[in-house]
Every structure is written in C-alpha cells, then in structure tokens.
Amino acid sequence: MGDMANSSIEFHPKPQQQREMPHVGGFGCTLAELRNLMELRGVEALQKIQEAYGDVSGLCRRLKTSPTEGLADNTNDLEKRRQIYGQNFIPPKQPKTFLQLVWEALQDVTLIILEVAAIVSLGLSFYAPPGEESEACGNVSGGAEDEGEAEAGWIEGAAILLSVICVVLVTAFNDWSKEKQFRGLQSRIEQEQKFTVIRNGQLLQVPVAALVVGDIAQVKYGDLLPADGVLIQGNDLKIDESSLTGESDHVRKSADKDPMLLSGTHVMEGSGRMVVTAVGVNSQTGIIFTLLGAGGEEEEKKDKKAKKQDGAVAMEMQPLKSAEGGEMEEREKKKANVPKKEKSVLQGKLTKLAVQIGKAGLVMSAITVIILVLYFVIETFVVDGRVWLAECTPVYVQYFVKFFIIGVTVLVVAVPEGLPLAVTISLAYSVKKMMKDNNLVRHLDACETMGNATAICSDKTGTLTTNRMTVVQSYLGDTHYKEIPAPSALTPKILDLLVHAISINSAYTTKILPPEKEGALPRQVGNKTECALLGFVLDLKRDFQPVREQIPEDKLYKVYTFNSVRKSMSTVIRMPDGGFRLFSKGASEILLKKCTNILNSNGELRGFRPRDRDDMVKKIIEPMACDGLRTICIAYRDFSAIQEPDWDNENEVVGELTCIAVVGIEDPVRPEVPEAIRKCQRAGITVRMVTGDNINTARAIAAKCGIIHPGEDFLCLEGKEFNRRIRNEKGEIEQERLDKVWPKLRVLARSSPTDKHTLVKGIIDSTTGEQRQVVAVTGDGTNDGPALKKADVGFAMGIAGTDVAKEASDIILTDDNFTSIVKAVMWGRNVYDSISKFLQFQLTVNVVAVIVAFTGACITQDSPLKAVQMLWVNLIMDTFASLALATEPPTESLLLRKPYGRDKPLISRTMMKNILGHAVYQLTIIFTLLFVGELFFDIDSGRNAPLHSPPSEHYTIIFNTFVMMQLFNEINARKIHGERNVFDGIFSNPIFCTIVLGTFGIQIVIVQFGGKPFSCSPLSTEQWLWCLFVGVGELVWGQVIATIPTSQLKCLKEAGHGPGKDEMTDEELAEGEEEIDHAERELRRGQILWFRGLNRIQTQIRHDSQEY
C-alpha cells in the first residue's frame, strides 16, 4: 500500500524531467501533453487537437500509427511505447504477508486471555515455596512431594501456549490460502479480458494489458473501455460515463463534436475506432486509482464507483492527496474489505448466534471462577481457620491462577471459534469445486446465498438456448420455404439484393470463420443474429467477404446501429449514380410496419398495404413464431441523387421500405436445459424467462424448456402489458399491483432492461407469501447491469457476456449454460447444510463440555476435563471437524427440498432435538463415570486431588470417553434432517474418513503417551474397550432420538434466526439507497463476522467484562 502511495508521487515529476527535450523516442507527443489533452472534454478538446495536431490523423502521425492499418506488430516498437508511455496495467496492492496474518489471528480476545493465564501459570510453577512451611499452608501440595512431579508444574502452562500457537497458525494459514485463491481468481478474471485492435491491417484480440499508446482499437456496443483514446471514426456512438462523472445520461461521441473516450466508461450503443492515447496509471481511471492509493481490488472498484460519483471532480482539483501518505491509506485499508452487498443471509444468522453463545459462555465462566474462589477461601480460612501467611502467598496465588484457568477453559469451550473457520473452509472449498462446474465465483457470499434462491429470472438467448443461431425458414419472392431454398430457385435480382443487404448491413466485426477442429461447426464471431444471416448467405452458395471488400467500412455513408429502442439496424451506401441505397434489418413486426412495397417472385416491386401485412403476419410470421423462431425482416430503399434526405431525421429515412425477405431464425434449446429446469422446479425454485423476443417465440421456447406446462395457471406478458398492469394512473410503479402480477408470471417478452430491473426489484421487495424471495438473475448484455446488481445473486455469461455485465455480477458462468446454475444451487445449499452439520456437532460438544467443567468445578473444585484437554477437544477437534463436515460433497438429494428463504433459523427443531438428546446421553455417562466410575473400574478416585498431583486413571477414562463420544457423534452430525442412515455416502468424502481416523489415532497417542502435559495416564485394553463401547452407544442413541417425532416436542425453540424485525433496518435502508455513504460502510464492516474472527463476540466480552 505504502509503495503505491509513494509511487504515485513519482508518476508526475518523472515524465517532465525526462521529456524536457521534445519528442522522446522519436514520437511527436510527450506523456505529459497526452495526459493534459485527456483532461479536456468536448469543444475544448477539439480546439486543442486542432491547435496542436491539426486533426486526429495528425495526432496519429505524431504517434507513428495509421488510422486504418494500425501499428506494425513489431515487438521492439511495442516495447519502446511501453517504456515511454507506460503499460496498460495498474499495479495491485501488496498482499498481506503470512506474519501479518499471524499477528491478526493473535488479536483474538479469548486467545489473549489464555496466553496471559498460561504465562502467569508458567511463572508461578517455577517458584517453589520453602519446604518447611508447606504444612502451614494447608494440604496445598499434598501429593506433590516426589521431585519429578513438582518439576512438571510448568507443563500445563507450556501446553496451553503450544495449543494457542497451533490455533493461530491454522487460522493464519486459512486466511492466507483464501487471500491467495482470491488473487488467483482476480488475475484469471483480468487475463480473460480481451480487446479488439488493428495491427498490420488485421483485426486482433489482445489482452487488455497488452494495449499500448498508438494502438487503433475497435470499440463496439457492450465494451468497457480499457484505455483513454480519441475517436477516429464512429457510428452513432453513445457512452455511459457515469462511473467517471456521475452523469447518468448517455454521452454522444463523434469525431467532430466530442471525440474523447475515457477508460472505465461503458459503450451503450454504436461502434467506432479510436487511437489509444493514455494507458494504465496515466489513463483517467488510473489517475483516480493512484489518488486512492491504488489496488486492483474488485471491492475497491465497486466502492470507487460510489465515491467517484461525487468525488471525481474534487479529486481532479487536488491531485496527489496521498503524498501525505498516512490517513488516506488507513481509510483505504478499511475500505478494501467492504463487501459488495450487505451481509449475506447466513452471516447475519451466524453473527447473531455467535454473540448469544458468547454471552452465555461468559456468564458461565464468571460464575465458575467466583464459586471456585469462594469455596476455596471459605474452606481454607473459615472452616480450617488458617491465617494467610506471607510465605504462602505464591501457593494461594497458584490456586487462584488454576481457578482462573478453569474459568477461561469454560469460556474457550463455550465460544465456537470453529464457526468462522467452518464457514471459510466450506465456502473456499465450494468455490474451488464450483470452478470445475463452470461457476467462477467473484463474491464468496454469493455461493451460499444461491442455496436460498427461490426464483431465477433467466435470459433466453444463449442461456436456455445454444446461441448458435441458424436460419431455418424464409419467405422470399412470395414463397414460404420451410428449409433453405436452392439458389437456382431464386431470381438473381432477389438473391443479389439479399446478399448485399446482409453483408453490408451488419457489423464488419461479425464473421463466420472455418472451424478450428476437423468436424466441428464453423466458428461464429460477433453478433449471433448477424452470424445466422451470414450463414444463410453461405448456405445460398454465395460469399459475403467480396461484397465487404468492394464496400469497406469507411465507405459506408451513414449507419444507424442496433439498440434496444430501435430494434433495427440500417446502413446507407452511396450508389455509383450518385444516389443512395439504405439497407435495413430488424424485428419483423417493427420493420414490416415501415414497408410499403415487397419484391414478388420475379424480383419486381408490388404494393404492400396494411391489409397485406396483416395477412402476412397471420400466414407467415405467427406460424414461424409458434415454432419458436425469431423472425427478422430484411428491406431496402433507394434515394435519388437529386435531393439528399436529412439523415438525422431517422423516422423519415427509415420508412417506405421495400421488403426483400423475412427469415425465421432458430436458436435451438440446449439439450440439457429441460432436465435442469425440472430439477429447479422440484427444488422449489420458480424459473422465469425474461427476453427481448416476441411473445409467440418466447412462449414456444418456454414450453420446450418446461418453464410453462399446458393447463397450468400462468401469465405470459409483453413488456408493454406488464407495465400497464403494475403502474398507476400517474405512471408510478406500485408494489401492490406488482404483487398481483409476479407470482403467476412465467414469461416476460419484448422486455426492456428497465422491465427486467423492475421485475427483480419487485420480487425482492415483495412481502406477500410465507417467505421473502431470494432472486437470482442471469444476464449477458450491457443493459442487464442494473438487474444483475439488484439481484441477490447475479450470473453473467462468460462467453457471450459483455464486460459491463461481468463487472456487475457475482458469479460468471464460464460455459454460459443454465445447468451450471443448478450446480450453483446445489453447492449453495451444501454450504448451508455443511454449516448446520458443523453447528449441530459443535454445539453438542460445547453444551456438554461447559456443563461438565462447570458442575465438576463446583462439586469437586477441579474440572474433570483439564485446560489442555479442553483445548484439544475444542480447538483441534473443532478445526478438524469443521474441515470434515464442511467438505461433504453435495448430493442430488439436496435438490429435493424447498429453499430455506431469508428467515428460516439456522438451527431447526430437529437439530435442537439432536443437540439436546445427545447432550443428555453424554452428560449421563460422564457424571456416572465421575461419581461412581472408580467403583465400576476398581481404580483410585481422581476427585479432590491436590495441586500438581500425578494424572489419575479415573479422569483419563472420563476424558477418553468424552472424546470417543464426540468422534461417533461426528458421524451422527452428517445428517441434519433426521435421516436414519448416517453412513450414507460416507466413503465419497475421503477427507471425513481421514480426519475421523486421524483424530482417533492422535487420541490413542495422547492417552497412552500424553502423560503430564495432557494430564493422562495410560489405560488398559479393557478400559479402552469400555470407552469405545460407550462411544458406539452414540450411534444407537442417535437412532433412538431419530424415532422421537419432532412435531411432539413443541417446547423446543429454534435458534439462530436471521436478524429480527427491529434489526432489519440495516438492510432495508441499504435497499433504498444504492450508494451508502462512507461512515455507514465503516459501521457495516464492523459487523462482518467471518474474516475478522469473532469480532462481535470480542466486543461483547469487553462490554460484559466492564459490567461485571
């Protein structure tokens, strides 16, 4: 971080020093000149370009590049440009070192208390009281007379320190590997970003980082601009600059009015070519990053958007704030961890639960210590009537320290530190595995939110369908062809017009290339609908390439590019006779309204009246749409040379057209989609289709996919009708009206991006129905950004998706396939269940251990489970158990239940029954052993043993039995819905088997060879068998518990609900205002549980300890 703050100071002076002499490296512009140029906008920028360079081609000459051919692909030249003008890369922030992470893990309050206790205990154990007076101090060191034992007093303290070190290392290692994975993910997302440039006259896709100043880049709809540049030639280009300026209106760019294109802005419409003038830290986004103290963190980009809205102007006014270093950095550090959305559902529930448990543990441990101290004081000084002697002080203090350690042990056992670990492990494991299932997770919590999803709003094109468009039917020259016609069947005039209309009136970046592998399909590059039309040209045995070479892109006279309002695209070319010809293509119902003529079978014009149009819609277009085809009309119009029309008046120009053909394009449904949708519906998830296609096509595809079934009560609406139903007379959206529509809505056709956003927001905000809805949305276009951001989980398409969509999403589907979404649901539910399994196990251990330590301490003045044993059980077993239970692979059966929704508690009634049931069994066994165990096994009693006495077999058996019961209960914990067979699928999880056997092995070593540090004495085979027998009893007892119907146990409460109604304010507020101000973010960050261990519990402990 610091390095970046410093380097940002150097960026400014250096260029000036080196570039005092003009034109370094033979280029005609210095870095500083270009930077200053990019600060200007609109008219000022144009003036500056004219004064300094004449025009844009003058600028290109100075940068030694050609506006049409681009740079020569010459490595030395590219390298030289990188050295002089910088590379297109913003250096990331330094990751935290392992030692920093260790230091952070050490900040945990419970661990600090333990460390202090252990050090005090260590210090005191080295102090041996003078032997003679030991009688005077009471039976303090009764049995500890033999030398070896007194020596071993330090072992307990050392063992506690050792286990603390273990825990810290495990936590730090987990954080470190998580950080590493996240960075790997980051770089993978960044490497996948490519951009089209022209080099040597060839179109190339180069990684964004490889762009250099002087490159000629192709800009098209949906791009996120990776560098600053000046527009050379543009068709109807509109840019969304809100990420830099906060202006939400799209800005029109053209070479003669406002040619400045800035990095980090989004292309919303049109296409064009620009010359790159600033990259990396010198581009507009880079400058802001530098001001922020750098860091290519996703979260920061998100934040910057929020801050830049109001801060951009201020920032440019006072550059280099970070020269002062300090305070700016601090704020940044804090900001880097702000999550994208509010706390996820699961974290909210966990935080609350952890705090409740922490409070309970604190109270228990305080009471334990108080009782122990009082009992000791009363017995020693009142009953025995001793006097406190100065030389006995260390002995008494040792007793008090022992009591304190017992108290801390109770606290340590009560606080479930395994929880944040389990969540982290479970999420990290899932994210890693989801990569294999084609889900690239960008925000960890999205993975678990997905398990609660109750609704999916999916795009049609490319997600439910293959996105390999092909023309399958056509209407040419008065004939409806059900398959591709033979070229000979068509009049040459029609064929020629059709080929020209398709080849010229489509983006020149769209083409069909030969297949990469033998036997594969030809590669479609660019817009898929245009690819289908070009494919149609090839099927008619003609070629589009010669036509395009004859009329290159810069010869096109005027282009009206496709956008979501026009739903058509038109191109004007100049004819040899000086006249103009306009070619147009677009959605048939829109374009046919503008046609006044149509070509008959001989290629001659004949009138096309509204009546003819209705006829055509009925006979041609509706049957095509009912087959699930998308209908596209191709038309043209000639203008005479005498009077040039007013090209800006688009409605006049694109009117009175002559229809050449109507084609039906099929986008076949992916073969695996119907099955995936059936799984979703069985899992209680409603799938809705939101598409721009017409309603007949949409309905046909929805039926093929199984989104709608004949005879069901559902709605298929068009965008217009949908808006009519949900808005009141004033045109405002009303939630009550929306609530009437969305539950039955299955298909929304001809919808605009705003409709999609409205629908998603409406479903999320709705409070009708038993539970609040959790909505997932898929999208690929730039216009899907708002809906993806609004949704609980946004899926962007990895292949077809634009950069803007990916930027707004939580998960990227690397294969664009709907089945991957079902996999994500399965993984999400699995995370949720893994954490519930772990909770069930952990809480049983906690309840039992706390009660045993508490009652044992109160009745026998000594916890039957020693501090080190407790630490082994709690920290090590919990850590291992969280690994074992959090890495259970998902099974198909997860998709058989309904989603949990936002307000389902973490610990269900069934789990509560299991926890309490097993606790009863374990406590009965342990207390029986504690009070009558010595008679049963015929051994010495371990109760009331003096300080530093050797470990007894009696207490070792209790410890061993306790651990055995936990091990077998870990197997019980694999099922949380009351299933009978707990061994089901146990061998599909090698980690689980390894950990259970490993823990068992270590336990044998501890008991047989642990000796003094673990307060264990070796056991005989018979005693071991008894311990095992009691352990196996857990499994039998589990079956008994499963037999008790949960419905009878009305008294059981569920625990771990989501935030209550009064606490909802946090999230509700944030719903309303998209951009949260900084202070509020800071507050919210304080409430995030898992990365920072148990922050909440710690503050709780601090408050409570102040109260006591």
Side-chain angles (χ1 to χ4, degrees):
M1 190 92 198
D3 315 344
M4 260 325 284
N6 301 341
S7 54
S8 64
I9 311 167
E10 295 159 17
F11 282 133
H12 294 263
K14 265 192 190 155
Q16 273 91 20
Q17 294 155 12
Q18 298 167 358
R19 322 221 185 316
E20 294 300 53
M21 50 208 198
H23 320 330
V24 175
F27 295 115
C29 312
T30 65
L31 178 56
E33 273 176 35
L34 289 174
R35 265 182 77 136
N36 295 338
L37 172 65
M38 292 320 291
E39 298 276 317
L40 304 172
R41 305 278 179 275
V43 186
E44 294 176 352
L46 271 173
Q47 283 174 346
K48 175 85 190 190
I49 292 176
Q50 279 157 3
E51 285 165 21
Y53 314 108
D55 59 0
V56 180
S57 44
L59 175 62
C60 292
R61 278 197 297 281
R62 293 265 191 107
L63 287 173
K64 299 201 167 161
T65 178
S66 146
T68 48
E69 296 292 307
L71 294 175
D73 214 347
N74 163 346
T75 334
N76 298 343
D77 176 47
L78 296 180
E79 198 41 55
K80 191 160 95 181
R81 288 173 190 271
R82 282 197 191 100
Q83 276 166 4
I84 295 177
Y85 297 115
Q87 36 185 332
N88 198 22
F89 167 72
I90 295 171
K93 209 164 53 188
Q94 288 299 312
K96 284 193 175 127
T97 59
F98 188 68
L99 287 175
Q100 280 171 309
L101 291 170
V102 168
W103 177 243
E104 273 178 20
L106 277 170
Q107 309 297 310
D108 191 53
V109 171
T110 35
L111 290 182
I112 293 173
I113 298 177
L114 269 179
E115 288 154 25
V116 173
I119 291 166
V120 173
S121 151
L122 262 179
L124 287 170
S125 67
F126 288 122
Y127 175 87
E132 309 80 73
E133 284 102 349
S134 68
E135 282 313 302
C137 303
N139 62 347
V140 173
S141 38
E145 284 322 301
D146 69 38
E147 275 304 285
E149 288 304 334
E151 299 296 285
W154 61 274
I155 291 181
E156 182 169 46
I160 293 180
L161 282 180
L162 196 72
S163 33
V164 166
I165 291 170
C166 276
V167 176
V168 167
L169 289 177
V170 168
T171 317
F173 178 73
N174 265 306
D175 281 348
W176 178 77
S177 58
K178 194 172 67 213
E179 179 95 348
K180 201 170 116 214
Q181 268 180 341
F182 185 71
R183 286 188 178 273
L185 191 75
Q186 268 319 93
S187 59
R188 178 164 166 178
I189 292 175
E190 279 159 17
Q191 281 159 10
E192 283 187 346
Q193 231 185 345
K194 294 257 187 11
F195 210 74
T196 316
V197 297
I198 302 175
R199 288 188 183 164
N200 275 341
Q202 294 289 318
L203 281 181
L204 296 180
Q205 291 268 337
V206 298
V208 165
L211 286 176
V212 293
V213 170
D215 255 326
I216 304 295
Q218 281 270 14
V219 201
K220 60 179 189 314
Y221 158 80
D223 284 341
L224 177 69
L225 296 182
D228 293 355
V230 178
L231 189 65
I232 301 173
Q233 173 258 326
N235 303 323
D236 213 3
L237 198 59
K238 283 193 187 158
I239 306 269
D240 172 11
E241 292 189 350
S242 59
S243 59
L244 277 179
T245 60
E247 288 294 325
S248 53
D249 294 342
H250 298 169
V251 186
R252 261 206 128 88
K253 297 284 180 183
S254 59
D256 50 1
K257 291 201 180 66
D258 180 2
M260 308 313 261
L261 300 177
L262 307 172
S263 58
T265 58
H266 297 149
V267 183
M268 300 313 271
E269 271 184 39
S271 60
R273 285 203 314 272
M274 71 168 186
V275 56
V276 177
T277 53
V279 293
V281 283
N282 300 309
S283 67
Q284 291 301 302
T285 310
I287 292 171
I288 290 179
F289 260 119
T290 316
L291 288 174
L292 283 175
E297 294 286 88
E298 278 303 303
E299 319 302 7
E300 277 179 23
K301 284 188 197 159
K302 294 271 175 296
D303 263 11
K304 244 181 42 230
K305 281 192 187 144
K307 284 226 328 250
K308 265 195 295 199
Q309 309 267 328
D310 41 27
V313 192
M315 280 174 165
E316 283 174 2
M317 307 291 278
Q318 21 145 311
L320 294 185
K321 215 7 185 297
S322 51
E324 287 101 53
E327 82 266 303
M328 191 82 175
E329 275 180 47
E330 279 313 298
R331 283 211 301 280
E332 270 317 293
K333 275 206 186 95
K334 290 192 187 124
K335 214 185 62 191
N337 294 330
V338 178
K340 169 177 174 254
K341 298 202 164 89
E342 281 55 75
K343 249 187 318 196
S344 74
V345 183
L346 184 68
Q347 287 168 14
K349 293 178 184 177
L350 279 178
T351 310
K352 215 175 151 199
L353 192 68
V355 172
Q356 290 165 345
I357 297 173
K359 281 182 181 167
L362 200 78
V363 174
M364 291 290 273
S365 62
I367 297 174
T368 315
V369 174
I370 294 166
I371 290 179
L372 284 171
V373 172
L374 283 177
Y375 192 100
F376 173 75
V377 170
I378 291 170
E379 188 179 45
T380 311
F381 300 120
V382 179
V383 181
D384 296 354
R386 296 180 193 282
V387 190
W388 185 301
L389 299 171
E391 57 272 22
C392 292
T393 306
V395 180
Y396 294 144
V397 171
Q398 252 181 324
Y399 259 102
F400 289 140
V401 169
K402 178 179 152 186
F403 297 150
F404 182 63
I405 288 182
I406 291 173
V408 173
T409 315
V410 174
L411 179 65
V412 168
V413 175
V415 173
E417 326 57 7
L419 257 185
L421 195 64
V423 179
T424 310
I425 291 176
S426 181
L427 285 175
Y429 171 77
S430 305
V431 167
K432 213 168 181 167
K433 290 280 191 237
M434 281 167 81
M435 288 286 275
K436 293 202 177 81
D437 284 339
N438 303 312
N439 282 299
L440 182 76
V441 181
R442 291 180 66 230
H443 299 106
L444 270 182
D445 54 354
C447 163
E448 144 265 317
T449 314
M450 203 47 220
N452 293 323
T454 55
I456 297 176
C457 295
S458 171
D459 263 4
K460 175 180 78 70
T461 313
T463 315
L464 300 173
T465 57
T466 54
N467 206 6
R468 266 203 76 89
M469 308 265 200
T470 37
V471 173
V472 284
Q473 295 188 21
S474 51
Y475 179 79
L476 282 159
D478 289 346
T479 322
H480 185 174
Y481 295 96
K482 288 288 171 80
E483 51 244 0
I484 305 287
S488 52
L490 300 175
T491 323
K493 181 183 173 192
I494 295 185
L495 190 55
D496 204 49
L497 264 171
L498 185 66
V499 172
H500 275 76
I502 292 175
S503 309
I504 294 168
N505 185 28
S506 56
Y508 277 34
T509 45
T510 305
K511 32 182 171 310
I512 293 185
L513 303 176
E516 281 176 336
K517 292 196 283 291
E518 280 289 305
L521 293 163
R523 277 183 304 155
Q524 296 188 341
V525 183
N527 180 310
K528 300 296 180 192
T529 313
E530 292 181 351
C531 286
L533 296 170
L534 293 175
F536 185 49
V537 170
L538 296 176
D539 290 339
L540 292 170
K541 309 283 182 285
R542 300 291 286 270
D543 192 1
F544 57 86
Q545 209 48 51
V547 180
R548 286 182 170 181
E549 280 161 12
Q550 183 191 343
I551 305 177
E553 196 171 8
D554 39 25
K555 291 268 173 29
L556 301 179
Y557 194 78
K558 172 86 180 143
V559 179
Y560 302 95
T561 50
F562 181 88
N563 67 23
S564 50
V565 181
R566 277 189 198 125
K567 291 219 186 310
S568 69
M569 169 178 178
S570 310
T571 305
V572 180
I573 55 170
R574 214 173 187 139
M575 300 301 278
D577 62 1
F580 300 93
R581 177 170 283 175
L582 166 121
F583 289 116
S584 198
K585 67 163 192 286
S588 56
E589 57 265 51
I590 291 173
L591 221 57
L592 282 176
K593 287 187 180 137
K594 300 182 176 175
C595 288
T596 49
N597 292 300
I598 188 164
L599 295 180
N600 67 10
S601 48
N602 303 324
E604 290 141 10
L605 301 192
R606 89 179 144 77
F608 186 66
R609 300 183 300 281
R611 197 176 67 238
D612 300 328
R613 188 178 68 234
D614 297 341
D615 220 31
M616 184 158 173
V617 167
K618 267 201 193 62
K619 293 195 176 130
I620 313 293
I621 290 174
E622 281 182 2
M624 280 190 189
C626 292
D627 291 342
L629 303 187
R630 203 165 150 187
T631 53
I632 300 257
C633 171
I634 300 168
Y636 79 105
R637 176 183 181 181
D638 283 331
F639 296 97
S640 66
I642 306 152
Q643 190 191 352
E644 187 171 337
D646 170 11
W647 298 115
D648 287 338
N649 186 348
E650 192 187 328
N651 290 341
E652 283 290 307
V653 175
V654 186
E656 301 185 17
L657 304 174
T658 302
C659 171
I660 306 171
V662 173
V663 293
I665 295 183
E666 179 182 47
D667 187 2
V669 172
R670 287 174 180 261
E672 60 280 353
V673 162
E675 173 60 14
I677 287 183
R678 223 184 59 243
K679 281 183 189 164
C680 281
Q681 289 163 341
R682 206 172 51 212
I685 301 170
T686 314
V687 183
R688 295 183 172 81
M689 184 163 101
V690 184
T691 174
D693 258 355
N694 75 34
I695 190 139
N696 294 329
T697 311
R699 196 185 277 124
I701 300 264
K704 280 184 193 164
C705 294
I707 291 177
I708 54 182
H709 301 287
E712 271 184 5
D713 179 21
F714 56 79
L715 284 174
C716 294
L717 295 179
E718 284 199 339
K720 278 201 186 104
E721 172 65 8
F722 171 69
N723 275 307
R724 198 182 58 68
R725 290 196 185 195
I726 61 168
R727 291 176 193 273
N728 59 16
E729 297 72 44
K730 294 185 193 137
E732 294 156 349
I733 296 166
E734 283 187 2
Q735 186 68 42
E736 298 88 82
R737 288 174 181 237
L738 236 172
D739 289 342
K740 290 198 183 82
V741 175
W742 72 256
K744 287 187 178 173
L745 183 68
R746 290 292 175 275
V747 175
L748 185 58
R750 282 273 172 249
S751 69
S752 68
T754 344
D755 296 340
K756 193 171 187 175
H757 182 255
T758 309
L759 178 66
V760 172
K761 184 174 183 324
I763 298 180
I764 291 178
D765 293 348
S766 171
T767 45
T768 52
E770 311 88 71
Q771 53 178 19
R772 298 267 310 275
Q773 298 277 319
V774 177
V775 184
V777 168
T778 68
D780 52 6
T782 306
N783 45 19
D784 294 327
L788 287 171
K789 254 203 166 66
K790 179 67 198 165
D792 294 291
V793 182
F795 287 92
M797 301 297 145
I799 304 167
T802 58
D803 302 340
V804 183
K806 290 181 190 171
E807 185 68 17
S809 69
D810 302 284
I811 298 180
I812 295 176
L813 296 178
T814 49
D815 63 346
D816 289 14
N817 195 337
F818 189 82
T819 36
S820 306
I821 299 178
V822 181
K823 293 261 176 54
V825 172
M826 212 154 80
W827 277 108
R829 291 189 172 190
N830 193 47
V831 167
Y832 208 91
D833 278 9
S834 298
I835 286 161
S836 297
K837 288 173 191 174
F838 175 69
L839 264 177
Q840 178 173 309
F841 172 71
Q842 165 106 46
L843 292 179
T844 315
V845 179
N846 285 11
V847 169
V848 175
V850 169
I851 294 178
V852 167
F854 177 71
T855 42
C858 298
I859 297 169
T860 67
Q861 279 70 69
D862 185 10
S863 165
L865 298 171
K866 300 289 178 289
V868 180
Q869 297 175 350
M870 290 279 221
L871 280 169
W872 156 242
V873 168
N874 187 54
L875 300 173
I876 316 301
M877 271 188 70
D878 283 359
T879 306
F880 286 160
S882 66
L883 242 179
L885 291 167
T887 52
E888 288 269 302
T891 56
E892 287 282 331
S893 62
L894 285 169
L895 294 175
L896 297 177
R897 63 170 175 77
K898 297 277 173 272
Y900 286 148
R902 280 178 203 269
D903 23 27
K904 169 100 168 53
L906 263 181
I907 300 173
S908 60
R909 275 234 180 100
T910 315
M911 286 167 64
M912 205 57 143
K913 178 183 74 176
N914 290 343
I915 292 171
L916 297 177
H918 287 295
V920 168
Y921 173 81
Q922 296 185 9
L923 287 170
T924 315
I925 297 280
I926 286 177
F927 284 135
T928 312
L929 284 176
L930 181 58
F931 296 115
V932 295
E934 71 269 27
L935 307 172
F936 180 76
F937 283 110
D938 192 22
I939 46 178
D940 296 336
S941 164
R943 295 194 301 280
N944 300 327
L947 200 63
H948 298 321
S949 55
S952 65
E953 283 188 357
H954 182 194
Y955 275 17
T956 308
I957 289 177
I958 293 179
F959 167 56
N960 199 22
T961 311
F962 181 65
V963 173
M964 288 302 117
M965 291 195 292
Q966 300 324 326
L967 270 181
F968 285 99
N969 195 29
E970 198 170 332
I971 298 175
N972 274 331
R974 291 183 66 244
K975 299 290 176 227
I976 51 175
H977 299 298
E979 294 93 332
R980 286 260 175 213
N981 179 7
V982 289
F983 291 102
D984 179 34
I986 194 163
F987 295 115
S988 64
N989 185 359
I991 302 181
F992 184 86
C993 304
T994 319
I995 284 176
V996 172
L997 295 171
T999 317
F1000 185 62
I1002 299 173
Q1003 179 63 19
I1004 296 178
V1005 175
I1006 288 176
V1007 172
Q1008 299 305 97
F1009 312 106
K1012 184 73 183 147
F1014 280 96
S1015 318
C1016 288
S1017 84
L1019 300 180
S1020 66
T1021 318
E1022 186 194 353
Q1023 290 164 333
W1024 262 102
L1025 286 173
W1026 273 110
C1027 294
L1028 264 174
F1029 171 71
V1030 174
V1032 176
E1034 267 289 347
L1035 294 173
V1036 182
W1037 183 247
Q1039 295 301 317
V1040 176
I1041 294 179
T1043 318
I1044 305 169
T1046 315
S1047 49
Q1048 300 299 310
L1049 305 170
K1050 290 278 184 287
C1051 53
L1052 286 186
K1053 269 187 46 196
E1054 300 162 321
H1057 282 270
K1061 282 285 167 281
D1062 47 352
E1063 297 166 46
M1064 284 306 281
T1065 47
D1066 221 23
E1067 310 216 340
E1068 301 295 69
L1069 283 173
E1071 293 291 331
E1073 47 188 67
E1074 290 288 293
E1075 307 299 358
I1076 314 155
D1077 82 317
H1078 230 60
E1080 212 178 313
R1081 280 206 170 183
E1082 286 299 288
L1083 282 174
R1084 207 157 283 147
R1085 179 175 174 266
Q1087 301 163 349
I1088 290 189
L1089 170 69
W1090 33 289
F1091 288 132
R1092 294 286 159 262
L1094 296 172
N1095 266 350
R1096 285 289 281 272
I1097 296 185
Q1098 296 168 3
T1099 40
Q1100 214 58 44
I1101 290 167
R1102 279 183 218 126
H1103 288 308
D1104 292 4
S1105 49
Q1106 284 158 14
E1107 286 160 26
Y1108 281 114

